[in-house]
Amino acid sequence: MADQKNVKEVDLGSGSVGKLLFSLALPAISAQVINVLYNMVDRMYIGHLPDVGANALTGVGVTFPIIMAISAFAALVSMGGAPRASIMLGKGRRDEAEKILGNCTTALIAVSLVLTAVIQIFGQRILLTFGASGDTIEYAWSYMQIYSIGTIFVQLALGLNAFINAQGYARTGMLTVLIGAVCNIILDPILMFVLHMGVRGAALATIISQGISAAFVVTFLVSGKSYLKIRIPCLKVEKSVLMPAIALGAAPFVMQFTESILNICFNTSLQRYGGDIAVGSMTICSSVMQFSLLPLMGMCQGAQPIISFNYGARKIHRVDSAFRLLLITCLGYATVLWAVAMFIPHVFTGIFTQDQALTGYAVWALRIYMAASLMFGAQIACQQTFISLGDSKTSLFLALLRKVFLLIPLIYLLPRFFENKVMAVFMAEPIADAVAVCTTVALFVVSFRKLKRELGG
């Protein structure tokens, strides 16, 4: 690893685990928070459009499941490929790590072309299925029609950035996201208000910004600044290289893709029981939850190269130290977010709307929706550590447990037992969270003890 140490920002195999974790995690958290701005800034501006803000916000909220699905396919390829590349680096097998990077690059491009075609052909029909109404479909399709054209930029920017972070280049990973977010913040008001493009302007600003991020990421990974490089011979897909990455990426894919399905379930149920105002409140709740989870994912993203590299190098004591610090930090952050949502929810709702009716409804809904979110730090830390250790089966089961086995059935079952059916739909979230956290922690304790015995920890 001597040659690698000369070009890397950090040495993953030595030094203080605490300092190393935070040196990687703080830029990763910053990048995740900045990444939220892509959608949140759009929603902030859209919610304040004169006369049509509430309907426009609800319409764009209906596009969220498709946007999450696009991100999920990036995770399917990269969030399995990046940890495997880190493990190979820990074993000193750089050539294999670069094969993984090259194969994943080809897969991201192929996926983006298919997704763009599907959305352009079937997008309007999909949005109506997802909960758009006659009053909101105009805004939903105006946004999605343009956004989908930039799918290849989203895939490359999100997918390949994971390989930058996996090498320990956390500051560079943050910079790639920051460039795009700043462009988005500048372009949004210009295109929406100065050029009077409205919702279409918000979508155009986003894909231009993602395109700039994608160009930065690709340029870095083909340059001499990156230890792992995109090389033309490695772009040829090999089943033995790509499929293990896809298998490991299945868990984060399920987590994000089922988020898309969940939004459909929530939106259609809430449209049935509460109408557009309930769907608009769900848009705000899901945005707040997204803000809550992505910084946690940033912390896990910072821990991932440490855990994966040292697992590959069989340094179990460093894996143990990194996980414990990750768990404590995630639990602390989740508790703070929970307290804000419970006691001063107007801090969140005021960001998205000034409409009094929507604000009152969203405050009530948010307190129910995030009631168990203080426990979620443990869920994220344990589940992401399973992925960092290359345990695809357990991580996939846990991803399916919370959303597919628990949350989706509860969305439809609980309204049968409560008079206030809208409240029952929102209650599905905290109930599923509590059961999933307890199961995840129990499985992790058993699995990690077994791993420590195997590696002599």
Side-chain angles (χ1 to χ4, degrees):
M1 292 301 294
D3 59 334
Q4 183 175 352
K5 189 172 180 179
N6 291 332
V7 296
K8 287 173 61 61
E9 291 178 3
V10 294
D11 184 357
L12 299 171
S14 64
S16 166
V17 169
K19 290 180 180 178
L20 185 57
L21 175 59
F22 285 105
S23 70
L24 293 173
L26 289 178
I29 291 170
S30 300
Q32 291 288 347
V33 173
I34 293 164
N35 195 43
V36 174
L37 292 177
Y38 273 112
N39 287 322
M40 288 187 67
V41 167
D42 282 350
R43 294 179 191 188
M44 283 183 243
Y45 282 121
I46 289 167
H48 291 86
L49 283 170
D51 302 321
V52 300
N55 277 341
L57 179 63
T58 300
V60 172
V62 176
T63 69
F64 186 65
I66 300 178
I67 293 171
M68 288 300 296
I70 292 172
S71 299
F73 278 99
L76 174 65
V77 177
S78 65
M79 296 305 289
R84 282 188 55 78
S86 292
I87 291 171
M88 292 303 169
L89 288 177
K91 294 179 178 180
R93 291 150 66 175
R94 177 179 176 178
D95 289 346
E96 290 189 38
E98 288 191 334
K99 279 188 177 182
I100 294 170
L101 170 59
N103 274 232
C104 288
T105 302
T106 302
L108 288 167
I109 294 170
V111 165
S112 67
L113 296 176
V114 173
L115 289 175
T116 300
V118 169
I119 296 169
Q120 287 293 318
I121 296 170
F122 303 107
Q124 200 163 5
R125 223 174 305 169
I126 293 170
L127 290 167
L128 288 168
T129 305
F130 286 4
S133 68
D135 292 329
T136 60
I137 184 62
E138 173 190 351
Y139 305 105
W141 180 234
S142 293
Y143 188 88
M144 201 68 244
Q145 191 175 27
I146 294 176
Y147 183 93
S148 63
I149 295 171
T151 299
I152 190 167
F153 302 141
V154 177
Q155 293 291 306
L156 293 177
L158 293 181
L160 294 183
N161 202 35
F163 287 90
I164 294 177
N165 291 318
Q167 299 176 69
Y169 300 116
R171 286 181 298 227
T172 304
M174 178 186 70
L175 184 60
T176 64
V177 180
L178 179 62
I179 290 170
V182 170
C183 290
N184 195 40
I185 292 169
I186 294 170
L187 289 173
D188 256 335
I190 295 173
L191 296 177
M192 289 177 67
F193 300 109
V194 178
L195 299 181
H196 306 290
M197 294 181 67
V199 169
R200 288 180 177 274
L204 184 59
T206 299
I207 66 170
I208 292 172
S209 303
Q210 289 280 19
I212 294 169
S213 286
F216 188 92
V217 171
V218 172
T219 300
F220 180 81
L221 286 172
V222 298
S223 73
K225 297 178 181 178
S226 177
Y227 183 68
L228 294 181
K229 296 178 181 62
I230 298 174
R231 302 184 189 276
I232 292 177
C234 297
L235 293 174
K236 183 180 179 181
V237 173
E238 297 179 28
K239 186 177 179 180
S240 61
V241 175
L242 182 60
M243 293 313 296
I246 297 293
L248 186 55
F253 171 77
V254 167
M255 288 174 66
Q256 292 193 36
F257 191 80
T258 50
E259 195 68 34
S260 175
I261 298 172
L262 276 176
N263 271 267
I264 299 168
C265 296
F266 272 120
N267 285 344
T268 53
S269 295
L270 291 171
Q271 183 66 246
R272 177 184 178 187
Y273 299 124
D276 283 347
I277 193 169
V279 176
S281 297
M282 185 64 212
T283 299
I284 293 173
C285 288
S286 63
S287 297
V288 173
M289 183 64 87
Q290 183 185 24
F291 180 78
S292 302
L293 295 185
L294 288 184
L296 291 178
M297 295 298 291
M299 178 62 71
C300 294
Q301 199 174 82
Q304 179 267 308
I306 306 171
I307 293 173
S308 297
F309 182 93
N310 286 288
Y311 170 65
R314 301 182 66 85
K315 297 181 179 179
I316 190 62
H317 63 287
R318 291 179 63 78
V319 174
D320 189 25
S321 298
F323 168 73
R324 289 176 183 274
L325 189 54
L326 173 66
L327 177 64
I328 293 169
T329 308
C330 286
L331 283 172
Y333 174 82
T335 301
V336 171
L337 262 294
W338 172 85
V340 174
M342 293 303 106
F343 301 112
I344 46 174
H346 291 86
V347 170
F348 292 130
T349 58
I351 295 173
F352 297 99
T353 184
Q354 298 301 317
D355 184 274
Q356 291 301 309
L358 182 56
T359 297
Y361 208 103
V363 165
W364 167 79
L366 188 63
R367 286 187 169 125
I368 300 170
Y369 187 77
M370 295 192 66
S373 59
L374 80 166
M375 304 167 60
F376 212 67
Q379 168 85 10
I380 293 291
C382 293
Q383 189 167 331
Q384 292 300 310
T385 300
F386 275 123
I387 295 171
S388 298
L389 295 172
D391 189 342
S392 58
K393 293 181 180 179
T394 306
S395 57
L396 178 58
F397 166 73
L398 293 174
L400 290 168
L401 173 67
R402 174 178 166 262
K403 296 179 180 178
V404 177
F405 301 153
L406 294 172
L407 188 47
I408 291 175
L410 286 171
I411 289 171
Y412 296 105
L413 288 173
L414 290 179
R416 299 185 179 187
F417 302 100
F418 291 88
E419 184 176 347
N420 188 333
K421 298 187 183 303
V422 173
M423 181 188 74
V425 173
F426 282 112
M427 281 177 57
E429 181 74 30
I431 293 172
D433 287 349
V435 176
V437 169
C438 293
T439 305
T440 300
V441 171
L443 278 175
F444 187 84
V445 169
V446 173
S447 298
F448 200 65
R449 284 177 178 171
K450 181 180 177 182
L451 178 66
K452 290 174 73 173
R453 287 196 300 269
E454 289 175 355
L455 298 182

